[in-house]
Amino acid sequence: MALIGYARVSTDLQDTAAQRRELKSAGCTEIHEEFASGAARARPVLAKLVANLGRSDVLVVVRIDRLARSLSHLLEVIETLEARGAHFRSLGDPIDTTSPQGKFTLQILGATAEFERALIRERTMAGLASAREKGRVGGNPGLRDRDPEAIAKVSRARDRSYFDKLNEEAQQWLPAVRQFRPRLPWEDVVRIINSRHPSAKPWTVERLRRAAGRFVKDGLLDRAVLGRAPPAQKDDRLLAIIAGIKSSAPEITLQQIAARLEAMREPTPRGRSKWATSSVAHLLERARLVGLIE
């Protein structure tokens, strides 16, 4: 069981020294630090760290607020860790998923979050019912009257909001689209992205196509990425996928690449489900020879 520390501060003007001391005193053999706002959805260091944790490894933070921006985010990260067979521990809070007490605390937090969501839904429905009884109808008056200017204004606002969200998530999906489209089909690109960012919301083919199309519309992506992928031999796909994994995490080991391929349910060239490190090494060497990686 390896203890892996995660320290976060909001800006590079702040210092992680105090967190690092606490994590080191707790027995962490590795400590990863990140400079990112607590409200930021994109946490590349955290995403990479979670993706590389092995079975029985423990992700350690000094306080919950260093890891998660909300209770739902905390539960999402812990669910991802549990799916990988890893654990979570907060030094300043009674949460340690390696112990029965910590798991019980986590169950209470999950129940509290669900209860809070139910209360919000109930209050919202009661407010809407009360408004209807008083003759008030919610919504935009211009939209109710089908006013073209109001409809166009709302459409522009929605498009702007959608683009802003895509921009926030761009570091998850944009590099892979630029690297692999249209050489690989959308299905393979989606699998690569989801394997790189296991703690993020999973991408689907439809969602990724729409995101790429939106960036193409603004000239931020070459229109060629929307083209049809050419027929490819299975080995060519494997070379591209393995090159993508290695490029996104240069320090990743052969064993970790094998585990990533198994998590993606990518069969070996012989159709087997379990990958040997020798097969990974052979394909990596071929990828270097054809110029996919340096």
Side-chain angles (χ1 to χ4, degrees):
M1 178 186 294
L3 302 181
I4 312 297
Y6 174 72
R8 182 190 62 79
V9 290
S10 297
T11 71
D12 54 7
L13 298 178
Q14 297 173 307
D15 193 355
T16 61
Q19 294 180 58
R20 294 179 68 88
R21 282 195 298 271
E22 288 190 54
L23 293 169
K24 187 174 182 180
S25 297
C28 291
T29 55
E30 298 178 29
I31 298 175
H32 301 257
E33 60 180 24
E34 185 156 49
F35 302 97
S37 167
R41 294 185 180 184
R43 302 271 192 88
V45 174
L46 177 61
K48 181 179 177 181
L49 171 57
V50 171
N52 289 331
L53 285 175
R55 183 167 294 276
S56 297
D57 286 347
V58 183
L59 176 62
V60 185
V61 296
V62 296
R63 294 187 310 278
I64 288 176
D65 65 353
R66 297 301 86 196
L67 176 75
R69 62 182 184 274
S70 64
L71 178 56
S72 60
H73 183 214
L74 172 66
L75 296 174
E76 178 185 330
V77 173
I78 293 178
E79 285 177 3
T80 302
L81 292 174
E82 289 183 339
R84 299 183 61 82
H87 304 285
F88 171 72
R89 180 182 301 167
S90 173
L91 302 179
D93 305 282
I95 299 182
D96 182 350
T97 61
T98 64
S99 70
Q101 296 87 348
K103 290 182 178 179
F104 178 67
T105 301
L106 186 61
Q107 290 173 353
I108 293 176
L109 287 174
T112 301
E114 180 57 34
F115 179 63
E116 183 180 2
R117 287 192 292 269
L119 286 178
I120 291 173
R121 287 195 298 268
E122 184 178 339
R123 287 195 295 266
T124 300
M125 296 304 294
L128 292 173
S130 176
R132 283 194 296 269
E133 289 176 0
K134 296 176 182 178
R136 296 199 301 267
V137 180
N140 187 313
L143 293 181
R144 289 202 306 270
D145 296 338
R146 303 279 184 181
D147 179 56
E149 185 176 345
I151 293 174
K153 183 177 180 180
V154 170
S155 179
R156 287 193 297 270
R158 287 177 177 171
D159 184 66
R160 183 73 254 174
S161 175
Y162 174 62
F163 179 82
D164 289 343
K165 183 178 180 181
L166 289 181
N167 209 27
E168 286 181 8
E169 301 172 331
Q171 62 180 1
Q172 293 179 17
W173 62 272
L174 190 57
V177 170
R178 283 178 170 157
Q179 182 177 3
F180 296 113
R181 287 293 305 163
R183 183 172 50 184
L184 288 182
W186 289 105
E187 292 81 0
D188 289 336
V189 180
V190 163
R191 292 164 69 193
I192 292 170
I193 293 172
N194 289 338
S195 73
R196 289 180 178 179
H197 306 281
S199 62
K201 177 183 177 181
W203 286 83
T204 64
V205 170
E206 181 180 356
R207 184 176 167 224
L208 186 60
R209 277 178 172 165
R210 187 182 174 205
R214 183 62 180 80
F215 267 46
V216 167
K217 177 183 175 182
D218 278 11
L220 300 174
L221 265 177
D222 192 307
R223 182 168 293 278
V225 302
L226 302 179
R228 184 184 297 272
Q233 299 297 321
K234 185 171 182 60
D235 279 3
D236 293 338
R237 285 184 59 255
L238 286 175
L239 291 181
I241 290 171
I242 289 179
I245 295 173
K246 181 67 173 177
S247 299
S248 67
E251 303 302 320
I252 196 170
T253 65
L254 295 177
Q255 187 173 4
Q256 289 170 334
I257 294 177
R260 187 83 64 87
L261 290 167
E262 291 171 9
M264 293 170 62
R265 301 182 183 276
E266 186 65 44
T268 68
R270 295 186 178 182
R272 296 172 181 171
S273 59
K274 293 294 183 181
W275 278 83
T277 54
S278 58
S279 297
V280 175
H282 174 68
L283 289 172
L284 275 176
E285 182 59 28
R286 286 183 56 195
R288 288 191 180 94
L289 289 174
V290 299
L292 292 178
I293 52 177
E294 296 181 355

